[in-house]
Amino acid sequence: MNENLRGRLTRDGIRIYERDDFAGMHRAGDVAARILDRIAEHVFPGQTTEAIDARITAMVQELGATSATIGYKGYLHASCISVNHVVCHGIPGPKVLKDGDILNIDVTVIVDGWYGDTSRMYVAGALSRKSERLIEVTHDALMKGIEVVRPGNTFGDIGHAIQAYVESQRMSVVRDFCGHGLGRVFHAPPNVLHYGRPGTGAVLEEGMFFTIEPMVNLGRPETKTLADEWTAVTRDKSLSAQFEHSVGVTANGVEIFTLSPAGRFHPTYG
Ligand code: MF3
Ligand code: CO
Ligand code: CO
């Protein structure tokens, strides 16, 4: 049987995976998370984002994985690197990092056909108080979203948990990009919104695999995409941060596939 067609789809078109499939997702997620652990030492003032991406390309190979982003819809790099007011999908290039720059590095790998998709924040040099708060709120928002993942809750519950927390901290949640189902494919139903109302949206079921990847702005939530057709920036030029985990719904909660093997997630704890 075609492995892409294993399991069943819900009425919302969301694939339900089987217990054995969690192991494949853990292997893929672990490789992606390991790459994010190891890339930290390559982030410093004077470094270019294309040099960081070249390290990631090499690490994907060393770990016996395949990049999911090289060749995806014409994208040519193993990572997205989004600096300061870039919200997401920053293209690695000759841009030189300077002291105090904050950046999201987003890596998606394929291991034995399973996709692992995760991103974290890094800092070049010294982290300002303002940037640190943005990064902390964004990470806490992701974890508050993950905390409500269990069968019977809804995707709206996830979005609400994230939005309510971020807005309580006087920051804003980006509406223009969302998380997504994944598994044996990169992007699948549902769209996982990072805002919403409790009890709305599809009901979570054991065996659903998806990402949660909130983008949080210090200013207004609106974004625009640059002429390169990838780079999304905040319209008001305010700083933006993002964290992403790939997760699976279990019988009574959630498993995170992309946890840091080194216990790292924060630029200053690394
Ligand atoms: N990894 C991104 C996500 O979280 C997608 C990047 S697609 C690319 O869904 F082509 F820009 F790399
Ligand atoms: Co994703
Ligand atoms: Co990603």
Side-chain angles (χ1 to χ4, degrees), residues 24 48 69 96 114 119 126 132 185 221 223:
T48 65
T69 56
V96 176
W114 297 101
S119 79
E132 181 173 19
V185 291
T223 72

Side-chain angles (χ1 to χ4, degrees), residues 69 80 89 104-108 116-119 180 182 186-187 211-213 242-246:
T69 56
C80 296
H89 301 164
N104 175 276
I105 302 181
D106 189 338
V107 172
T108 311
D117 185 6
T118 183
S119 79
H180 48 92
L182 86 172
F186 194 171
H187 291 112
T211 73
I212 307 179
E213 47 183 299
Q242 179 178 27
F243 284 87
E244 174 175 26
H245 273 314
S246 299

